[in-house]
Amino acid sequence: MLRRPSLLSTFLSAAKPSLLNQVAYGLSFLEAFSTTTFLKPAEGGILSKARTPSINFVLGGPGVGKGTQCARIAERYGFTHLSVGDLLRNEISSNTEYGEMILETITKGKIVSSEVTVKLLKRTIESNETDRFLIDGFPRSEENRVAYEQIIGIEPGVVLFFDCDEEEMLKRVLHRNQGRIDDNIDTTMERLKVFEAYTLPVIKYYTEKGKLYKINAIGTEDEIFERVRPIFSSLHTP
Ligand code: UDP
Ligand code: MG
């Protein structure tokens, strides 16, 4: 994926000693950041770029096929596919300061704190020169959405929602065999609950805004892609 060092990661390493001081004085890491530099759109950040990238969200429950369809859409229509789950898993495998917390959260099937997720997303978008993104698996909650609006603030063009019944999603997760720690029955039952309680309100929000495109996610990969195509064919493609 994206390997170029970002301004934010440079800043992060430079900021470590003073952060440690703040922690020593009783401020948590996130408090230290959230009230200062990080949660405000930085100068030289996304909002100050001459060209604002187009952002599109792809939502749906666990195992519904978001990743598979995103890869096809990205290839056919020239988007950069960003799976937020993958960004989080990269933090675990690179053993960053968030790694342990993210591992624990993913293992339980819960949602990682918006502060961390949006920070990672912002860093990734900023360090990538593409101007068309498909963001897969985010925002997962109204809290995620509001944090995104405050920190990144680019209104999504299209919000795709892959719709499928829970039984089928559970079956797909348990059969996909990707070696993921959260692809077991207990965690997936929790992920389904979290999806219903926290992600459906986001879907409702974008429905009311007229941005939601609901796709029936039952069928073959090709059949589902055929349902998606008209949405992107009608947009400007490079
Ligand atoms: N996750 C999160 N916030 C996000 C995206 C993912 O907290 O914005 C976590 C959450 O614990 C989720 C896990 O990462 O259950 C896996 O997400 P992913 O989208 O990779 O799973 P999928 O829904 O595609 O099965
Ligand atoms: Mg996925």
Side-chain angles (χ1 to χ4, degrees):
M1 212 202 301
L2 309 146
R3 305 207 187 277
R4 286 199 302 122
S6 71
L7 284 177
L8 279 179
S9 55
T10 316
F11 174 77
L12 242 192
S13 7
K16 265 181 190 152
S18 72
L19 269 178
L20 286 178
N21 284 342
Q22 293 190 60
V23 171
Y25 281 98
L27 271 177
S28 75
F29 174 81
L30 285 174
E31 280 169 334
F33 261 128
S34 61
T35 52
T36 55
T37 324
F38 257 103
L39 297 189
K40 304 216 170 82
E43 262 182 55
I46 297 163
L47 299 179
S48 64
K49 272 189 184 163
R51 282 170 58 198
T52 304
S54 108
I55 301 277
N56 304 278
F57 292 143
V58 180
L59 301 175
V64 77
K66 301 183 292 292
T68 308
Q69 291 296 326
C70 279
R72 294 186 67 161
I73 301 165
E75 209 212 328
R76 172 68 183 77
Y77 296 103
F79 287 95
T80 294
H81 171 203
L82 274 187
S83 155
V84 176
D86 284 350
L87 289 187
L88 295 169
R89 284 183 283 273
N90 283 347
E91 292 294 297
I92 299 172
S93 48
S94 330
N95 241 325
T96 69
E97 64 218 286
Y98 306 124
E100 233 173 88
M101 174 278 288
I102 293 172
L103 175 61
E104 198 183 312
T105 312
I106 287 184
T107 307
K108 289 183 186 153
K110 307 280 190 203
I111 300 175
V112 172
S113 131
S114 296
E115 280 165 305
V116 170
T117 308
V118 176
K119 200 180 293 177
L120 294 175
L121 193 54
K122 181 170 187 272
R123 179 200 294 176
T124 310
I125 293 172
E126 281 180 341
S127 65
N128 192 305
E129 271 148 30
T130 336
D131 59 1
R132 289 153 63 83
F133 289 96
L134 268 187
I135 314 275
D136 161 3
F138 176 92
R140 267 181 143 77
S141 65
E142 279 288 275
E143 199 224 335
N144 272 178
R145 179 184 64 73
V146 170
Y148 167 88
E149 278 170 12
Q150 287 172 349
I151 299 159
I152 299 178
I154 302 170
E155 189 63 29
V158 166
V159 181
L160 274 188
F161 164 41
F162 288 105
D163 186 31
C164 178
D165 60 276
E166 293 199 343
E167 206 178 309
E168 175 67 21
M169 288 194 270
L170 182 61
K171 204 169 83 190
R172 290 184 191 177
V173 167
L174 298 181
H175 284 91
R176 70 182 171 186
N177 239 336
Q178 293 174 343
R180 274 175 48 172
I181 189 148
D182 53 347
D183 281 355
N184 58 71
I185 187 150
D186 290 344
T187 310
T188 307
M189 293 304 284
E190 183 60 29
R191 288 156 70 196
L192 287 167
K193 271 198 235 157
V194 166
F195 174 73
E196 196 184 334
Y198 294 95
T199 315
L200 283 183
V202 179
I203 287 162
K204 182 166 178 274
Y205 174 85
Y206 286 118
T207 306
E208 283 161 9
K209 282 201 111 186
K211 303 218 155 180
L212 196 97
Y213 293 81
K214 181 170 161 178
I215 306 287
N216 171 8
I218 302 279
T220 65
E221 272 183 45
D222 286 344
E223 282 164 356
I224 298 165
F225 188 58
E226 283 309 311
R227 295 173 197 149
V228 170
R229 271 171 23 85
I231 299 165
F232 292 99
S233 298
S234 61
L235 299 177
H236 165 78
T237 48

